[in-house]
Amino acid sequence: MTLTEKILARAAGKARVEPGDNVWVKADVLMTHDVCGPGTIGVFKREFGNQAKVWDRNKVVVMPDHYIFTADSKSNRNVDILRDFVKEQGITYFYDVIDDPDGHWHFDPSKGMLKRQYGSNYAGVCHTALPQKGHTRPGEILFGTDSHTCMAGAFNQFATGIGNTDAGFVMGTGKLLLKVPETMHFRLEGELQPGVMAKDIILHCIGEIGFDGATYRALQFDGSGVAKLNIDDRMTIANMAIEAGGKNGIFEFDAQTQAFVDYRCKLNGTRTAYEPIERERKEKFVYELAVDISKLEPTVACHPDPGRRKLAKELGNIKLDRAYIGSCTGGKTSDFLEFARVLRGKRVVIDTFGVPATPEIVQDLQTARWGDQTVWEILVEAGVQMTENAGCAACLGGPVDTFGRINTPLKCISATNRNFPGRMGHKESQVFLASPATVAASALTGKITDPREYLPN
Ligand code: SF4
């Protein structure tokens, strides 16, 4: 069995499963957020009754993150709906935007978009915050009401996005009926070269198979090249499994996984016990691709889908209006460090927006010093509009006042993960997906640019 099959077999209490089998699996964690949480709660109450209790109040994790820093009153109200439900149910893990458990969330636009408006419990973008807060464990089953839940496959777990109806059912029962996916195998060998990032690996892989090339399939990433990828890199790759239609993405367990998970679980007082899944010799794959990652070059997914692969050096004729770094995929500390490495001492020539995924990342960037400046200061001096209001922001457009949202038909290069028409706002805008390094180099020139021309010595 493949890694995915082994996890699903264990969660289903079976010795073996085959692709295509329908099995009931037990959930270890159900995550929901402000966009899908209210709908999920509605389904849960409708189907299980107004007085029903969630199956396990320690296994439902509630993380508002999407439409937070907006004056849109309905979006603000969604956070209040989550808070009321958490109180009613006694849910342990709620990363509220405000500190007052009896308060109401209200974003105040008069304070501007850049200065922090959240309280001390807020965690930021769910997929980046789940591991930071100690909710991702090897060998477990994570369901989330968000398609990029697959990001947690970086931690050797089965993690997948589900709709509100399924999530309402999981909330009530702790189980879900799943069809076991076939597995596609991506064997990564070699080592990334300077200026090439994990984002380039996944854009390369999706370019090979197309944006629907992995529909309802597991994507297993292994090989000697993985050992040299850090946890953030693996998260970037697993995150975008869904951009090829994948059910989940998954990595092997190793010492890096263990160190990260153990540290984060202890730090946050979450469950520390887990049982990783190891590969076995007999794995059946429906597709195999070996990638020598040392040969990859900075890669871009062109408008209008994540499978439109080109090399950055081939696209120098595309003039840009905007650059954006942020999201679960591209808004991690390591992403901003690489971004800053390219921008340091230079100045962007197009509007450039920076949105860290979580408050912890804001803090990292405001405390990490290069010489006599923090990384945050370096970015601001380079002309990047950096906001402390960590969240999804313009990654999925959002309400019209969302920071960085594309409100006119602009061309934008972005470190985010999805570029279908209208994804970041205006339906006639064009989004080009790239690594943080490529976004930085392109922000310096105003056209799509290979970052290797701008790397410091
Ligand atoms: S940052 Fe973007 S991709 Fe990630 S959860 Fe938010 S909207 Fe989805």
Side-chain angles (χ1 to χ4, degrees), residues 140-196:
E140 290 198 349
I141 303 279
L142 166 70
F143 294 121
T145 59
D146 192 282
S147 63
H148 293 100
T149 302
C150 54
M151 187 162 180
F155 301 96
N156 182 246
Q157 68 181 128
F158 178 85
T160 195
I162 57 176
N164 293 355
T165 308
D166 279 354
F169 185 81
V170 175
M171 219 171 228
T173 64
K175 300 188 290 193
L176 192 62
L177 184 65
L178 276 186
K179 185 172 83 170
V180 177
E182 299 171 310
T183 299
M184 300 173 83
H185 187 206
F186 297 83
R187 203 178 76 241
L188 309 181
E189 308 289 353
E191 191 170 357
L192 287 174
Q193 298 301 299
V196 186

Side-chain angles (χ1 to χ4, degrees), residues 1-3 220 222 279-285:
M1 290 187 289
T2 66
L3 287 173
Q220 179 170 318
D222 55 45
R279 287 182 72 187
E280 60 183 38
R281 278 175 48 202
K282 282 195 184 156
E283 295 171 298
K284 265 203 226 143
F285 298 112

Side-chain angles (χ1 to χ4, degrees), residues 65-66 125-127 146 148 327-329 392 395-396 417 423:
D65 61 352
H66 273 64
V125 180
C126 55
H127 311 304
D146 192 282
H148 293 100
S327 82
C328 44
T329 323
C392 294
C395 171
L396 82 162
N417 49 26
R423 167 71 178 178

